[in-house]
Amino acid sequence: MELHVVIDGDKDLAGQLYRQLRDSIRAGRLAAGEKLPPSRLLAEQLGLSRKTVSEAYARLTFDRLLVGRVGSGTFVADSARSAPPPAASPSFAGAAVAERWRRMDTPLRHPAPAGNSRYEYIGGAPARSLFPHAEWRRCVLHALREGARSRGLYGPVEGMPVLREAIARHAAFARGVRCGVDDVIVTNGAQQALDLVARVLVEPGSLVAVEEPGYPPARLLFAAQGAEVVGIPVDAEGLQVDRIPDGTRLVYVTPAHQFPLGMPMSQRRREALLARAHAIGAIVIEDDYDSEFRYEGRPTDSLQSMDTRGSVAFVGTFSKTLSPELRLGYLIAPPAILQAVCIAKHLSDWHTATPAQWALAKFIADGGLHKHIRRCHAVYAERRECIMRRFDGDLSPWFERVPATAGIHLAALARKPIDMDTLLRLARRVDVGLYPLEVFSYFAAPRQGLMLGYGAIDTDDIDPSLDRVRDILLQMG
């Protein structure tokens, strides 16, 4: 790789080289510790004499910007300080738009801003210790072999056919989704699937309905597209469908495991939602983010499987079943928007990385995904039972658990006013990471409570950590 230096003309060659290298070091383009090319090599690259390059290097060394190490080469000195970046100009034409993005919240980041505690109840995080490293490594090697046989070109926008077929089979098997390989679009996680649907349906002023409380990144994403977002309250049966206003273009729901409270949407509400969507011409986004883990009750149909009019876009992810680091999800789009979504993905990122697609396709085809889900299910079920027992027992004076049948988190509502900030702060002091429900409410006054993820905490750590929480609550009175 050649060092970027531009020599103009044939005068003061050493001075030109000296000034360009000096300015690059001071601007930070050449960082401290960076190795420079040997004088002979740089001279050949720039068409200069070696003496000219050596003279420039010597001047920079005298200025303490470079340092020579015998047998190793010439390096940017550790003491070289780069100049501060230029201040942002408030007068550029897009300043207002950039400022709006800069001020936008970025909720649910992992790790949490408060830092990782020994006992973490963070939501949305699967068990890292359960990741099938050996099986995944074998699938990655398979992907590398497939890549070696490829033409080295861009892949299909919709995703690799072998993975789309595997996803179609998995979604049909696990969630009863009605789809073929042509209906599946591989995405960089569920968030990109939401973004793609919004791109092709939402324009400034469009009305979008979301659950309240609900998933903040979805609300913020729709608002960033210029939508007028309205919050629809949820109750024990899920979304209150009769509150969806006329003119709504898009409805976002989590019917299998409402986020963050956890209750499933009743069959009656599901039927009403589909009827309402058809009546107003809305598309429903069904975010099925963690329903592969179901612990009690009979399986419920997905909205997509109940839909007979092409109104539902089904969004799935492998972030909860495998790992969020893979950034793999999928969208099963209704025919009305399928082609538009494919074009939007083509223009935004062309396609999802093919090596990861090959690996996941192999993992699913070999039965690794089903095996992994069964293994995680057994562990999560034990953790869930332990948390339920405590919140139905000695923690029940303070919290009421919200019934939930699936997922990797539970919610508990406060029975009486609690100084939640103090509880969270004192819990951190004893190495327990707790997370409040209040952050998921935006349109209405929030209810106090806790969101209790059980993917990131070991089973044996649940009782000791909740003992500490109980003791804090007793001290708080």
Side-chain angles (χ1 to χ4, degrees):
M1 184 170 62
E2 294 187 1
L3 176 64
H4 180 73
V5 174
V6 178
I7 300 298
D8 184 19
D10 55 3
K11 295 183 178 179
D12 190 23
L13 301 179
Q16 288 190 55
L17 179 59
Y18 164 78
R19 287 188 292 273
Q20 289 200 49
L21 292 177
R22 179 199 62 193
D23 293 345
S24 293
I25 293 171
R26 289 178 175 174
R29 293 190 296 273
L30 289 175
E34 185 84 29
K35 184 177 181 180
L36 269 62
S39 58
R40 184 188 302 277
L41 176 60
L42 185 58
E44 292 176 358
Q45 292 174 352
L46 300 178
L48 304 174
S49 70
R50 186 180 181 187
K51 178 182 177 183
T52 299
V53 176
S54 298
E55 180 182 339
Y57 277 12
R59 292 178 64 184
L60 290 166
T61 302
F62 180 79
D63 292 343
R64 298 183 179 179
L65 295 176
L66 295 183
V67 60
R69 300 173 186 169
V70 177
S72 298
T74 302
F75 298 82
V76 177
D78 292 337
S79 59
R81 294 182 179 181
S82 59
S89 171
S91 60
F92 71 98
V97 178
E99 180 64 14
R100 179 167 59 85
W101 278 96
R102 189 183 71 82
R103 291 182 178 276
M104 192 168 288
D105 194 13
T106 52
L108 306 189
R109 283 192 171 186
H110 288 195
N116 290 327
S117 299
R118 176 183 175 185
Y119 307 114
E120 269 294 340
Y121 286 94
I122 192 166
R128 182 173 57 183
S129 61
L130 297 180
F131 186 83
H133 290 282
E135 294 89 340
W136 185 253
R137 186 179 301 109
R138 177 175 53 81
C139 294
V140 169
L141 292 174
H142 166 79
L144 294 175
R145 290 191 295 270
E146 292 294 335
R149 289 195 288 267
S150 72
R151 295 179 298 166
L153 303 177
Y154 290 102
V157 172
E158 303 87 348
M160 304 297 293
V162 64
L163 177 56
R164 295 166 67 202
E165 183 178 350
I167 288 174
R169 291 198 308 269
H170 169 71
F173 180 87
R175 296 294 294 123
V177 171
R178 295 182 294 106
C179 69
V181 62
D182 293 335
D183 303 313
V184 177
I185 301 171
V186 180
T187 62
N188 298 312
Q191 196 68 15
Q192 188 190 36
L194 303 183
D195 178 68
L196 292 172
V197 175
R199 282 174 185 262
V200 303
L201 289 178
V202 174
E203 54 191 357
S206 298
L207 205 58
V208 175
V210 299
E211 296 169 319
E212 172 68 13
Y215 182 54
R219 170 179 56 81
L220 290 165
L221 186 149
F222 301 140
Q225 300 280 8
E228 180 185 345
V229 184
V230 294
I232 309 300
V234 298
D235 57 23
E237 293 189 73
L239 189 78
Q240 297 180 16
V241 175
D242 58 344
R243 303 281 291 271
I244 299 175
D246 292 339
T248 298
R249 185 173 295 188
L250 191 63
V251 182
Y252 171 81
V253 291
T254 53
H257 185 221
Q258 199 278 331
F259 188 92
L261 298 180
M263 79 287 286
M265 186 182 291
S266 70
Q267 183 71 14
R268 181 174 68 90
R269 288 281 175 85
R270 292 167 187 251
E271 294 170 356
L273 175 57
L274 292 174
R276 179 63 173 156
H278 175 65
I280 62 178
I283 292 293
V284 177
I285 297 180
E286 178 180 12
D287 190 349
D288 198 70
Y289 62 100
D290 67 355
S291 70
E292 284 96 342
F293 303 110
R294 186 178 57 82
Y295 309 101
E296 59 185 74
R298 294 179 178 176
T300 55
D301 288 330
S302 63
L303 280 174
Q304 195 272 355
S305 67
M306 298 170 58
D307 177 29
T308 60
R309 299 184 177 99
S311 300
V312 177
F314 185 92
V315 174
T317 180
F318 297 98
S319 294
K320 308 299 184 290
T321 51
L322 282 171
S323 171
E325 293 179 313
L326 298 179
R327 302 311 305 138
L328 287 169
Y330 59 93
L331 167 67
I332 298 173
I337 64 171
L338 178 61
Q339 185 176 2
V341 167
C342 291
I343 292 173
K345 181 167 173 61
H346 171 74
L347 294 178
S348 61
D349 79 341
W350 209 298
H351 65 82
T352 300
T354 53
Q357 291 190 60
W358 279 114
L360 181 58
K362 176 72 171 173
F363 189 68
I364 297 175
D366 290 352
L369 181 61
H370 289 162
K371 177 183 176 182
H372 176 66
I373 290 175
R374 289 195 302 270
R375 179 188 178 201
C376 290
H377 184 280
V379 175
Y380 293 156
E382 186 177 3
R383 296 177 183 178
R384 176 177 177 269
E385 287 293 331
C386 189
I387 294 174
M388 287 168 45
R389 184 179 68 251
R390 295 299 301 270
F391 277 83
D392 292 342
D394 58 344
L395 292 171
S396 62
W398 297 277
F399 292 100
E400 176 185 3
R401 180 176 56 84
V402 179
T405 60
I408 56 174
H409 80 264
L410 291 167
L413 299 173
R415 293 184 184 273
K416 55 186 178 181
I418 296 175
D419 186 344
M420 196 61 68
D421 290 340
T422 299
L423 173 61
L424 301 182
R425 185 178 70 255
L426 294 178
R428 286 282 176 191
R429 288 184 181 177
V430 294
D431 234 6
V432 180
L434 296 178
Y435 298 87
L437 283 176
E438 288 93 324
V439 297
F440 304 109
S441 295
Y442 180 78
F443 300 96
R447 289 193 62 182
Q448 286 191 320
L450 295 173
M451 180 180 178
L452 300 150
Y454 43 85
I457 187 166
D458 290 338
T459 307
D460 291 341
D461 288 339
I462 292 175
D463 278 327
S465 62
L466 293 184
D467 285 344
R468 299 183 184 191
V469 174
R470 178 203 58 209
D471 293 343
I472 291 172
L473 290 166
L474 287 170
Q475 292 170 13
M476 292 173 59

